[in-house]
């Protein structure tokens, strides 16, 4: 459920606010338990947020960064989410963070609780790699699945994907949805209306009891 809407006039102000909120949450977890884990999304939308967050003075050496989902491609591929994160987030102060990629990394299954999760959303209503028509969508969305990461392929996904499952993503202290542009806002409004989850899988997140903070700018 959307518990809070944070609306901004520009990408810059949104990125600054989101980075501040994420940094504060990470610092809190480091103070409380000595470490923190951040899961981020790929695509073009989060680049400015990544660059902004990378300059925050937080204890990055105690912070693990991972991905909400990933294409099954090597980091030499420009469509790799891991490459995006390395080039835009794991820079400046954040260069000291530990990074846990998903592709060809079985140890990713053993990562701890995802303390902060920043989701995106596609124009087809997907989030993470929960795509309409996904061959493993029911498993990925199953609240009782014993899996933390599943493989999924879908017509609109391009490459086969890996994604954290819905219960793993919802088991977080701070859940954010970062979208930009009127088109994405219109997609979100459709997802908030009645209709099957399978048609717009972001509904699985929106209809959960987990409080979600929306970050949006035109």
């Amino acid at each position: 459920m959307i518990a809070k809407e944070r609306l901004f006039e520009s990408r810059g102000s949104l990125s600054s606010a989101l980075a501040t909120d994420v940094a504060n949450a990470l610092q809190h977890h480091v103070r409380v338990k000595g470490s923190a884990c951040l899961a981020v999304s790929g695509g073009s939308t989060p680049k400015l947020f990544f660059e902004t967050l990378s300059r925050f003075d937080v204890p990055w050496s105690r912070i693990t960064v991972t991905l909400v989902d990933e294409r099954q491609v090597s980091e030499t591929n420009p469509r790799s989410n891991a490459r995006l994160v390395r080039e835009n987030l794991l820079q400046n102060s954040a260069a000291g963070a530990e990074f846990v990629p998903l592709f060809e990394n079985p140890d990713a299954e053993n990562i701890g609780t995802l303390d902060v999760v920043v989701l995106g959303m596609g124009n087809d209503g997907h989030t993470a790699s929960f795509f309409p028509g996904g061959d493993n969508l029911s498993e990925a969305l199953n609240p009782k699945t014993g899996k933390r990461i599943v493989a999924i392929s879908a017509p609109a996904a391009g490459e086969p994907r890996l994604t954290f499952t819905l219960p793993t993503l919802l088991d977080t202290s701070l859940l954010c949805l970062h979208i930009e542009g009127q088109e994405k806002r219109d997609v979100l409004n459709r997802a908030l209306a009645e209709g099957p989850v399978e048609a717009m899988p972001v509904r699985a997140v929106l209809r959960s009891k987990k409080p979600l903070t929306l970050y949006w700018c035109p």
Side-chain angles (χ1 to χ4, degrees):
M1 63 176 180
I2 297 179
K4 183 188 299 184
E5 291 192 10
R6 301 204 62 192
L7 310 179
F8 302 89
E9 294 183 355
S10 69
R11 295 184 67 238
S13 57
L14 185 159
S15 295
S16 178
L18 178 56
T20 298
D21 291 348
V22 168
N24 287 341
L26 293 173
Q27 287 180 313
H28 168 76
H29 285 286
V30 170
R31 285 195 302 268
V32 170
K33 64 176 186 176
S35 63
C37 183
L38 166 65
V40 296
S41 299
S44 59
T45 300
K47 279 187 179 181
L48 184 56
F49 157 60
F50 288 167
E51 293 168 0
T52 304
L53 181 60
S54 76
R55 294 179 169 83
F56 273 67
D57 184 19
V58 298
W60 288 106
S61 62
R62 298 185 180 185
I63 294 170
T64 299
V65 176
T66 191
L67 293 157
V68 166
D69 68 320
E70 177 63 287
R71 299 175 176 90
Q72 293 191 47
V73 298
S74 73
E75 291 187 29
T76 59
N77 190 308
R79 286 173 56 78
S80 164
N81 287 341
R83 176 173 175 170
L84 175 80
V85 168
R86 289 191 191 277
E87 292 180 348
N88 295 277
L89 176 55
L90 302 177
Q91 303 290 328
N92 305 309
S93 299
E98 177 186 3
F99 181 53
V100 178
L102 302 188
F103 181 56
E104 296 185 334
N105 183 20
D107 291 338
E109 281 272 4
N110 303 317
I111 199 169
T113 300
L114 308 178
D115 299 304
V116 180
V117 173
V118 183
L119 298 173
M121 183 189 69
N123 290 335
D124 59 356
H126 85 267
T127 191
S129 281
F130 308 152
F131 280 88
D135 61 353
N136 211 10
L137 182 61
S138 60
E139 179 72 20
L141 298 182
N142 183 354
K144 296 182 179 180
T145 181
K147 298 180 180 179
R148 302 191 75 212
I149 298 174
V150 298
I152 190 167
S153 296
E159 305 87 347
R161 305 273 188 129
L162 295 166
T163 186
F164 277 105
T165 58
L166 179 66
T168 304
L169 295 175
L170 295 182
D171 183 24
T172 185
S173 296
L174 178 62
L175 181 63
C176 307
L177 176 62
H178 173 194
I179 60 174
E180 298 178 359
Q182 188 59 49
E183 186 175 8
K184 288 286 182 73
R185 184 71 203 219
D186 293 342
V187 172
L188 178 62
N189 289 339
R190 291 198 298 274
L192 289 168
E194 294 183 4
V197 168
E198 294 76 14
M200 301 185 78
V202 70
R203 286 174 171 154
V205 176
L206 298 172
R207 294 175 182 176
S208 76
K209 295 180 179 179
K210 183 69 184 182
L212 170 72
T213 302
L214 170 66
Y215 295 77
W216 177 81
C217 68

